[in-house]
Amino acid sequence: MSQTIYDFAVIGAGMAGASIAAELAPHANVLLLEAEDAPGYHSTGRSAAFWEECYGGPGVVPLTLASGRYLREHDFLRPRGALYVGRAEDKGSMDRFVETFSGTGVTIERLDRAGLAARVPHTRDDWCDAIWEPACADIDVAGLHQHYLKSLKHGGADLVCRARLGAATRMNAVWQLTTEAGDTYRAATLINAAGAWADTIAGQAGTRPLGIDPKRRTVAQLRVEPAAPDDLPLVLDINGEFYFKSDNGRLWLSPHDEIPTVPCDAAPEEIDVALAIDRFQQVTDWKIEAVERRWAGLRSFAPDRLPVYGHDPEVEGFFWFAGQGGFGIQTAPAAARLASQLALGSGPDDLTRSIDPQAYAPQRFFTSATARTG
Ligand SMILES: Cc1cc2nc3c(=O)[nH]c(=O)nc-3n(C[C@H](O)[C@H](O)[C@H](O)COP(=O)(O)OP(=O)(O)OC[C@H]3O[C@@H](n4cnc5c(N)ncnc54)[C@H](O)[C@@H]3O)c2cc1C
């Protein structure tokens, strides 16, 4: 057994675990345990890599906007723009979208058919309504993840890979953590940043799972003729049936699927790729020459689809940093700073002042009717 009693043991070294460990490391003694051979193998390594102001809904906007400032300052964003598209019958959805985000601080503008066609070549004529979001950008996901891995190392945190947590018991205000390989560690606070496995970790620690459900999302890389232009915006269906963007002349296309699954090494299903292509062909007349690559990953949501940051109200020393859904990369800087401030008990700073931590507190799932007694 390691003799060190860490202040914090973070479980999972995806974007969530790496970023919070990096934020904590200058202030505390931090251990980061990762089950896989290397950090970033699961959701973090499989994202579509965009920063999109509206993605995840109005409740996520404060985290996205605050993170955008950090990502721009550190040069992790490359401008792209996003376009929500619809047909005449989608006018109601378009109107509701604009109304939903009015006053949230995002910058969106309604475009007509001419504005749509000018930005996205090959769209079929019935796609005539659009909402333009100029600030949308690509994120250098690997660069951001490395930035946090380097920072946590620089801050003195210990990262241990091939260390899948198997059991967690609390004795005398200290967690005894045992990996499946039999190694043991001790820490005052356990931070649950295990992505799709967040509820599994809660179960191991005797904490009530919050219902954080993994859902599979598929992406296919298409070779199209003519090649996809570099300045193509991210194009999203207003009804959430597809999105696509260009990448080095190719197209990344998703059917925007959300297939409930168990936590696992997610793999794409042919049916979802076929569905994506079918939907894509209803929007554009782009010629598809080949499906070059396909992948899938898990997006894990709390029941209200907002992330969960904060101390568990029932189990001492257990801290939630989970439910990052489909926005865990674009919200990482502000989320990690905010969560580290909550974990350390320190106040907000310029990055987090505009964010209400109560909106993401685990307490929202603990009503008096459902709280456990004893
Ligand atoms: C197809 C797809 C597209 C996406 N596109 C975007 C996008 O464009 N923009 C955006 O912001 N977000 C996007 N997302 C969402 C984003 O990828 C996630 O929100 C984010 O990666 C979640 O990070 P995480 O660290 O919580 O999870 P993960 O990266 O999955 O990390 C969790 C880690 O915990 C480890 N772990 C689990 N159990 C244990 C254990 N017992 N012991 C030790 N370690 C353990 C796992 O091995 C894993 O490495 C997308 C996701 C998918 C799947």
Side-chain angles (χ1 to χ4, degrees):
M1 179 190 294
S2 158
Q3 292 309 302
T4 312
I5 300 181
Y6 290 93
D7 298 314
F8 298 100
V10 181
I11 311 302
M15 189 61 81
S19 57
I20 193 169
E23 289 291 344
L24 290 169
H27 311 284
N29 199 4
V30 179
L31 169 70
L32 178 55
L33 294 181
E34 168 53 49
E36 302 292 348
D37 292 352
Y41 175 76
H42 289 288
S43 305
T44 296
R46 304 174 193 207
S47 89
F50 53 75
W51 179 90
E52 200 270 85
E53 287 178 307
C54 303
Y55 213 70
V60 176
V61 170
L63 295 165
T64 302
L65 293 185
S67 296
R69 292 192 287 277
Y70 183 99
L71 292 167
R72 250 175 247 114
E73 273 164 32
H74 289 80
D75 208 19
F76 290 119
L77 295 185
R78 188 172 144 265
R80 176 174 287 279
L83 200 67
Y84 282 86
V85 296
R87 287 168 282 201
E89 61 266 34
D90 300 319
K91 184 179 176 307
S93 305
M94 287 286 194
D95 292 345
R96 272 193 300 282
F97 187 94
V98 171
E99 203 180 304
T100 300
F101 287 97
S102 85
T104 59
V106 308
T107 304
I108 50 177
E109 174 195 348
R110 197 79 171 255
L111 298 181
D112 59 10
R113 165 71 198 168
L116 189 164
R119 284 172 175 80
V120 189
H122 309 291
T123 42
R124 296 189 187 278
D125 290 343
D126 51 337
W127 294 81
C128 57
D129 203 349
I131 294 166
W132 173 237
E133 189 207 295
C136 175
D138 287 342
I139 310 175
D140 175 1
V141 179
L144 180 64
H145 195 215
Q146 281 305 319
H147 161 77
Y148 284 124
L149 290 169
K150 270 189 210 148
S151 305
L152 71 90
K153 196 171 164 196
H154 184 72
D158 292 331
L159 165 64
V160 187
C161 292
R162 293 182 211 96
R164 183 179 295 277
L165 184 72
T169 52
R170 193 157 173 89
M171 284 162 50
N172 303 325
V174 173
W175 288 103
Q176 317 285 326
L177 306 173
T178 308
T179 67
E180 286 185 355
D183 296 320
T184 54
Y185 300 90
R186 292 186 293 170
T189 299
L190 188 163
I191 297 188
N192 183 3
W197 289 264
D199 272 0
T200 310
I201 301 297
Q204 287 173 341
T207 307
R208 178 148 65 101
L210 298 182
I212 294 184
D213 286 334
K215 297 183 195 297
R216 192 177 68 234
R217 165 68 45 100
T218 308
V219 182
Q221 177 174 303
L222 309 180
R223 192 171 77 237
V224 286
E225 174 56 36
D230 283 344
D231 63 355
L232 188 76
L234 169 67
V235 182
L236 306 107
D237 176 36
I238 193 66
N239 293 317
E241 299 251 295
F242 61 81
Y243 65 69
F244 58 89
K245 69 177 220 181
S246 58
D247 184 72
N248 288 321
R250 303 322 199 223
L251 273 181
W252 284 9
L253 168 69
S254 172
H256 220 259
D257 47 339
E258 285 202 350
I259 315 291
T261 179
V262 292
C264 64
D265 187 354
E269 303 260 338
E270 274 315 310
I271 180 80
D272 297 317
V273 175
L275 192 64
I277 289 174
D278 180 54
R279 290 173 179 174
F280 178 68
Q281 287 176 328
Q282 292 175 34
V283 199
T284 81
D285 58 9
W286 234 311
K287 185 168 167 236
I288 299 172
E289 296 204 313
V291 178
E292 292 184 326
R293 208 155 72 83
R294 63 208 83 194
W295 68 94
L298 302 181
R299 301 154 78 250
S300 299
F301 293 93
D304 61 3
R305 296 180 73 96
L306 290 178
V308 190
Y309 315 144
H311 295 281
D312 186 274
E314 293 179 344
V315 174
E316 195 204 345
F318 191 93
F319 188 97
W320 290 90
F321 193 49
Q324 278 81 353
F327 43 79
I329 312 293
Q330 65 175 43
T331 56
R337 180 72 57 82
L338 175 68
S340 70
Q341 288 163 348
L342 295 170
L344 292 163
S346 59
D349 63 3
D350 285 349
L351 185 56
T352 58
R353 221 178 300 284
S354 57
I355 304 167
D356 172 15
Q358 286 310 316
Y360 313 115
Q363 277 83 350
R364 69 190 193 271
F365 299 112
F366 292 76
T367 62
S368 51
T370 54
R372 268 193 315 207
T373 50

